[in-house]
Amino acid sequence: SVVVGYNIYRGGVSGGPYALLNSTPNTSLSYTDGSVLSGQTYYYVVTAVDATGAESVVSNEVQVIIP
């Protein structure tokens, strides 16, 4: 399947649950999350999406600490 974009998910604890952040597949290789709060820690995973809307397995989790 051809990848048409990516879904970005964010959670408040390691391992999820995660909430989908984008309404349509993100076609860029970068993403800016504008709804984070100072002093918080967030956990992100990404999936690849094909033209039918099917998603890949989730990526490795990334931890982000907001100063």
Side-chain angles (χ1 to χ4, degrees):
S1 296
V2 175
V3 172
V4 297
Y6 302 90
N7 281 340
I8 300 98
Y9 295 86
R10 183 183 73 200
V13 295
S14 182
Y18 305 102
L20 178 63
L21 297 179
N22 50 308
S23 56
T24 59
N26 188 54
T27 56
S28 172
L29 295 181
S30 65
Y31 181 82
T32 301
D33 184 354
S35 62
V36 296
L37 298 174
S38 180
Q40 297 297 305
T41 301
Y42 299 98
Y43 300 87
Y44 294 87
V45 293
V46 175
T47 61
V49 183
D50 72 12
T52 70
E55 292 183 89
S56 69
V57 297
V58 298
S59 68
N60 291 334
E61 180 184 81
V62 173
Q63 179 190 63
V64 178
I65 301 170
I66 308 301

